[in-house]
């Protein structure tokens, strides 16, 4: 029996875990003994499990611990904030320094005229908020029918009712979503979906799909197009070059707002504070972000809207009837401020342009392995898709649980990676040194080879 801390043992945690419903899990499988990994501590790029093993955190908590674990600057900022002002809300006319300062800071980092910030506590709610704001915006403009949303197959936007409705339908099998509100455009994945087309022809086909949907639904009925700069939980899908700018141009021509879901891609993961403009050349009307905003030290999300949208919703004659008690929570806002200061002081986004590229290059080298079909992604956001046949790209059967097997092999070798069907996802802390990066690549090669041998 391992004693974790304050007389809490592993056995006590596992017994208590019988009461905890875990997210995105097979609840039946979790009934088996030893099905859970109990993480009890973390430092830098590493975490420690209840058996005392140090593991490389290859998923950065959950795509979020960007500055690494255990950063004193953020922990102190949170505790100092709690000592000064533990809680006050941002309802009505109340405000407090940390929420106001963080909103100001985010506005200074966000591209163009994205100057107004609404806080919530998850990426899901940030995405919901952006849709509620746009629906209200169109009501205020006297366009009550302009409400539908264009999303994409493969997208992940969260687990509230609305965010899940915008998410790829695969994620809501056996669950319900809001009927008729969201239309899903084609998956922009050339390697899987391109067929005989060149990448450029495939891009044209994706653009045509958008145009066709606008024609069918009517631009007067469509409020927004929502897109992750790189799809994350849908399997790390990078759209063809120029995709976002072409989609954004068509949206603009049709008076459809472009929402960039930067819950994952912001705060350094792709080498910039925000990826929409700096990496993909797009000026969105709204950016939603969360995760790396506090590096996961506190739950916090931001919906960042343009001055133009704000002018409409703040015009006389209406009320902003939207609120969460913890919107802009002082401790979360303090964590956000300290996290951004740390990123700026240590030039983390800039460093990622080098270390993230090293990470990407080391993992791309795994493409020579027999069952690796595609290694894709960018910087510290990588997906490895396994195939039964490299030439035909024939996928493994879901029952082969290939991603799970590789992730288990990796964990035995000291690396946490996330399985997603036939895909393995890596979204680590952004502070990994070249030697840890090499270690990750070595562990993955060993693990994939070990699983290959069993096939
Ligand atoms: N949007 C994207 C792109 C995400 O990856 C996620 C979560 O992984 C979400 C939204 C939902 O964020 P949250 O889990 O904080 O609700």
């Amino acid at each position: 029996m391992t004693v974790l801390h304050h007389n809490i043992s592993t056995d006590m945690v596992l017994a208590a875990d019988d009461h905890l419903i875990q997210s995105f899990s097979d609840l039946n499988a979790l009934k088996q003994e030893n099905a859970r990994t109990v993480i009890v501590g973390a430092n830098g790029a590493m975490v420690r499990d209840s058996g005392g093993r140090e593991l490389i955190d290859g998923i950065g908590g959950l795509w979020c611990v960007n500055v690494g674990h255990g950063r004193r600057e953020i922990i102190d900022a949170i505790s100092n904030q709690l000592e000064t002002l533990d809680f006050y809300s941002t309802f009505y006319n109340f405000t407090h320094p940390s929420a106001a300062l963080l909103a100001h800071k985010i506005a200074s980092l966000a591209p163009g005229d994205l100057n107004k910030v609404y806080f919530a506590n998850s990426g899901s709610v940030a995405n919901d908020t952006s849709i509620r704001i746009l629906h209200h915006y169109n009501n205020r403009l006297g366009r009550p029918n302009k409400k539908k949303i264009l999303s994409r197959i493969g997208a992940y936007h969260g687990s509230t009712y609305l965010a899940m409705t915008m998410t790829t339908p695969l994620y809501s099998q056996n669950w319900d979503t809001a009927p008729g509100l969201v239309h899903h455009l084609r998956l922009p994945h050339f390697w899987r979906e391109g067929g005989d087309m060149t990448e450029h022809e495939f891009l044209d086909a994706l653009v045509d799909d958008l145009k066709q949907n606008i024609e069918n639904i009517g631009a007067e009925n469509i409020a927004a197009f929502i897109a992750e700069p790189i799809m994350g939980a849908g399997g790390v899908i990078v759209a063809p070059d120029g995709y976002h700018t072409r989609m954004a141009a068509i949206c603009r021509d049709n008076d459809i707002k472009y929402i960039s879901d930067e819950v994952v891609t912001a705060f350094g993961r792709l080498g910039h504070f925000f990826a929409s403009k700096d990496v993909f050349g797009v000026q969105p009307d709204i950016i939603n972000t969360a995760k790396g905003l506090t590096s996961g030290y506190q739950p916090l999300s931001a919906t960042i809207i343009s001055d133009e949208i704000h002018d409409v919703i703040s015009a006389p004659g209406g009320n902003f009837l939207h609120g969460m008690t913890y919107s802009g929570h002082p401790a979360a806002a303090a964590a956000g401020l300290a996290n951004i200061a740390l990123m700026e002081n240590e030039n983390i986004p800039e460093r990622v342009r080098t270390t993230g590229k090293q990470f990407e290059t080391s993992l791309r080298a795994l493409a020579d392995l027999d069952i690796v079909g595609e290694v894709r992604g960018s910087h510290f956001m990588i997906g490895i898709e396994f195939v039964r046949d490299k030439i035909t790209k024939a996928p493994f059967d879901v029952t082969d649980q290939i991603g799970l097997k590789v992730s288990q092999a990796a964990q035995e070798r000291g690396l946490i990676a996330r399985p997603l069907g036939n895909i393995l996802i890596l979204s680590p802390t952004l502070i990994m040194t070249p030697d840890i990066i090499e270690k990750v690549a070595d562990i993955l090669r060993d693990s994939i080879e070990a699983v290959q041998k069993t096939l």
Side-chain angles (χ1 to χ4, degrees), residues 63 122-124 127 156-158 228 261 263-264 291:
W63 323 73
S122 72
S124 306
N127 284 328
Y156 183 75
H157 296 299
E228 300 149 82
D261 179 347
V263 167
V264 167
K291 296 194 188 264

Side-chain angles (χ1 to χ4, degrees), residues 11-22 36-38:
D11 291 349
M12 285 163 75
V13 173
L14 288 173
D17 252 345
D18 276 348
H19 299 274
L20 178 70
I21 301 174
Q22 304 211 195
R36 293 175 166 94
T37 301
V38 183

